[in-house]
DNA sequence: TGAATCCTTTGACCTAAATCAAAAAATGAA
DNA sequence: TTCATTTTTTGATTTAGGTCAAAGGATTCA
């Protein structure tokens, strides 16, 4: 899956791909494990092979706000912390038993130096993440609660039914009571 | 200013910088000029030397929604359209008389091929844009109108007083009436 | 310099969604 | 299998901010 992801962006030879993959580690993570806490500098970039990851932060009143869901087939990171090596604003966790490929910042930098194509991939990855964030921003700003939930269903159909309701509600910027009522009216 | 921007990310020699700058053009643009319309594929990346740029889109009801303001010292683009060469979701315009450096996609690609450092710069640029978008997303989701305006004041103090109120209001996801009332209470 | 257009303010009223509270359902641990 | 904890649903009430309408100000351009 990771191989396909790379090949899709920039073509590699089989030898190159094998070498690139050797920089990654394979990990199995149990449900509800925290990968990064707020304030830590994130040293790893993750690729979700199976399962769901989530980033969130705590409001002053202690309530969690989901910032993003990472489904299978996507890279996951506390992007600003990892790329800019600054303290993370977010917590990162997995909300299901999850299979991850991971790479450290140091190894990624080595890879980027070794393969120019890798730098291209990271550039494209950053732009892709950027695009999807912008898309979310536009889907949430000025939209009603119902429209925001419709965006969620179309953008993350699988996650919409696997993540706890409260986590989805905060991702969409509404209370869980409101989301619960929306779901009821959905089925009618 | 553009030189400083580059040097700040990756060191170049004087000769290199001169060569890189020769790929850019210098343009003076009159207030309220549209640079890109929705649906067009954006072929240019802009650097704002002086003035203010703005991206916006139209809702189904025809109302403009400001997506971003670009102040002096920043790159401006319809990011997804320029980098991925897809039809732009946004309009791009300048809201003051503006001095811009511009570079076409073709020339930028040449530069990236010629100087690896350029690819690094674009990668870092993409990550920087990403980070600031994420920051906005977090500052708007779950915040009250007052808090959103405070974010605007701290993030874009200059633009807060130079852009028309309606444009700022839609950027912050509120009506202009609400923003007008906020400002009044501000002064009290 | 004045008509025309655009931008901002103000007021009255309304509504979507938040808050508060508590019951019901689901999950998990012993 | 039961008890405890967490998650979801439902109801009653409140409120922030939206909508509608109209009047003032400020720009612009002939």
């Amino acid at each position: 899956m990771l191989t396909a992801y790379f090949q899709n962006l920039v073509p590699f030879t089989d030898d190159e791909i094998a070498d690139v993959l050797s920089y990654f580690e394979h990990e199995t993570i149990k449900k509800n494990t925290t990968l990064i806490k707020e304030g830590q500098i994130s040293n790893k970039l993750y690729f979700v092979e199976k399962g769901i990851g989530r980033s969130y932060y705590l409001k002053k009143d202690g309530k969690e706000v989901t910032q993003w869901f990472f489904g299978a087939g996507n890279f996951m990171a506390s992007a600003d912390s990892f790329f800019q090596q600054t303290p993370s604003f977010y917590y990162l966790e997995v909300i299901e038993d999850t299979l991850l490929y991971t790479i450290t910042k140091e190894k990624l930098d080595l890879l980027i130096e070794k393969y120019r194509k890798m730098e291209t991939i990271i550039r494209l990855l950053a732009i892709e993440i950027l695009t999807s964030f912008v898309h979310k921003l536009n889907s949430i700003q000025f939209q009603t609660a119902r429209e925001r939930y419709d965006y969620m269903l179309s953008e993350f159909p699988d996650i919409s039914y696997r993540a706890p309701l409260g986590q989805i509600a905060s991702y969409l910027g509404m209370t869980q009571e409101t989301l619960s009522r929306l779901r009821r009216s959905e089925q009618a």
Side-chain angles (χ1 to χ4, degrees), chain A residues 4 10 12 40 73 98 105 114 123 168:
Chain A
V10 181
F12 282 91
Q40 293 179 336
T98 295
K105 181 75 165 58
K114 190 165 180 186
R123 190 187 89 214
I168 295 173

Side-chain angles (χ1 to χ4, degrees), chain A residues 157-171:
Chain A
D158 46 334
I159 295 173
S160 305
Y161 294 108
R162 280 153 67 192
L165 177 133
Q167 294 184 4
I168 295 173
S170 74
Y171 176 75

Side-chain angles (χ1 to χ4, degrees), chain A residues 43-54:
Chain A
N43 191 37
K44 284 184 179 171
L45 178 66
Y46 306 88
F47 182 83
V48 182
E49 181 75 14
K50 185 170 174 299
I52 301 177
R54 175 176 87 109

Side-chain angles (χ1 to χ4, degrees), chain A residues 141-152:
Chain A
Q141 197 176 28
F142 269 109
Q143 302 291 115
T144 62
R146 147 111 279 135
E147 289 167 321
R148 279 178 271 165
Y149 183 55
D150 288 343
Y151 150 82
M152 178 79 195

